C-alpha cells in the first residue's frame, strides 16, 4: 500500500511499481482526479481505479468514469462498504453508486447522455442476444466471476466476451459499458 500527496505523485508511484488498485480523490492539488485517472490508464500495467469525492455525484465524477475509473464512491462511505467496493473492483467488477446511476438516468432523459439517441439502436444492433445479456450483467455491476457463475461459463470465456463486446461498442473499459447499459436501458439479467 502506498499514499500520494497529489496526482503527479500517484502516477509516478504507479510507474515505479505494480499498483493493482488506486483510490483517487477528484480534488487534488496540481492534477485533479479526472486527469490523474487518464494518466493512470496510460501506465503500462494500469491499476483499477475508484474515484472518491466529498461533493457527491457531478460531471467530474462522470468524466473520471469515462476516463477509465471502475468505480465511484463518496467519502462518507463506511469502512465495510469501501472494502466491499475495493474487493468488487479488484475482482474485475464496476461500482457505481445509486446516486451516480440516478444522475446518469436523468442525463439520459434530458438528452445529454454520452450516447446520442440516434446511435442507440445502431449500437444495440451490433450485439447478439448473448452479448446484450452480458452487457446487462455488466450494467448490474457484476464481476467477470459473477457473470461466469450466472451464465455457467468459465471466467476466461466471459473475459473474451467482454473484450469482444467492448470492441463492438467502441468502448475502452467495463465502466463505460456499465454506463452504456443504463443509457441503452439494457437492464436486468
Amino acid at each position: 500500500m502506498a499514499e500520494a500527496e497529489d496526482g503527479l505523485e500517484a502516477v509516478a508511484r504507479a510507474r515505479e511499481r505494480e499498483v493493482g488498485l488506486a483510490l483517487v480523490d477528484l480534488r487534488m492539488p496540481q492534477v485533479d482526479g479526472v486527469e490523474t485517472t487518464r494518466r493512470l490508464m496510460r501506465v503500462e500495467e494500469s491499476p483499477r481505479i475508484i474515484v472518491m469525492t466529498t461533493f457527491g455525484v457531478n460531471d467530474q465524477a462522470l468524466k473520471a468514469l469515462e476516463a477509465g475509473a471502475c468505480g465511484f464512491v463518496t467519502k462518507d462511505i463506511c469502512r465495510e462498504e469501501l472494502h466491499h467496493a475495493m474487493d468488487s473492483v479488484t475482482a474485475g467488477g464496476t461500482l457505481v453508486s445509486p446516486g451516480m446511476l440516478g444522475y446518469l438516468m436523468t442525463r439520459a432523459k434530458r438528452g445529454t447522455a454520452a450516447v446520442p439517441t440516434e446511435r442507440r439502436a445502431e449500437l444495440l444492433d451490433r450485439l447478439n442476444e448473448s452479448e446484450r445479456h452480458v452487457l446487462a450483467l455488466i450494467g448490474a455491476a457484476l464481476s467477470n466471476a459473477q457473470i461466469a457463475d450466472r451464465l455457467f461459463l468459465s471466467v476466461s470465456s466471459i473475459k473474451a466476451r467482454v473484450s469482444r463486446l467492448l470492441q463492438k461498442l467502441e468502448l475502452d473499459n467495463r465502466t463505460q459499458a456499465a454506463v452504456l447499459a443504463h443509457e441503452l436501458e439494457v437492464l436486468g439479467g
Side-chain angles (χ1 to χ4, degrees):
M1 186 165 102
E3 288 187 34
E5 292 293 320
D6 58 44
L8 294 175
E9 186 179 344
V11 173
R13 285 182 184 250
R15 286 190 175 122
E16 290 171 4
R17 63 171 135 177
E18 187 176 320
V19 175
L21 177 69
L23 297 174
V24 176
D25 193 337
L26 281 176
R27 290 200 166 193
M28 293 186 290
Q30 297 191 44
V31 177
D32 70 14
V34 174
E35 183 58 28
T36 298
T37 298
R38 284 188 191 110
R39 291 179 185 190
L40 284 169
M41 293 306 296
R42 291 191 296 259
V43 171
E44 187 173 333
E45 292 291 325
S46 61
R48 307 280 293 164
I49 301 168
I50 297 175
V51 292
M52 303 179 77
T53 183
T54 304
F55 302 102
V57 175
N58 58 38
D59 283 337
Q60 287 299 99
L62 181 58
K63 286 178 184 177
L65 292 172
E66 290 170 345
C70 301
F72 166 78
V73 297
T74 56
K75 288 184 182 179
D76 62 356
I77 190 171
C78 73
R79 183 180 298 263
E80 184 178 302
E81 289 173 335
L82 180 59
H83 283 113
H84 172 72
M86 293 166 63
D87 289 344
S88 177
V89 167
T90 300
T94 56
L95 181 88
V96 182
S97 71
M100 177 57 84
L101 291 178
Y103 179 73
L104 292 172
M105 296 310 293
T106 300
R107 283 182 54 137
K109 288 175 184 167
R110 284 194 314 226
T112 58
V115 178
T117 305
E118 61 274 5
R119 283 207 63 217
R120 292 179 184 184
E122 172 199 335
L123 290 173
L124 277 177
D125 286 344
R126 292 179 184 182
L127 305 179
N128 63 37
E129 187 175 334
S130 174
E131 291 166 333
R132 287 181 189 192
H133 192 195
V134 170
L135 180 62
L137 295 172
I138 291 170
L142 272 65
S143 68
N144 286 341
Q146 291 168 321
I147 295 171
D149 286 345
R150 178 87 51 103
L151 300 180
F152 304 104
L153 296 168
S154 69
V155 173
S156 61
S157 177
I158 295 302
K159 285 181 181 179
R161 288 179 186 212
V162 170
S163 292
R164 278 193 311 273
L165 184 143
L166 294 175
Q167 188 174 23
K168 280 184 173 185
L169 296 174
E170 301 172 16
L171 300 173
D172 296 323
N173 56 60
R174 290 175 62 94
T175 304
Q176 291 174 344
V179 169
L180 184 63
H182 287 273
E183 289 183 356
L184 297 176
E185 297 180 5
V186 180
L187 306 172

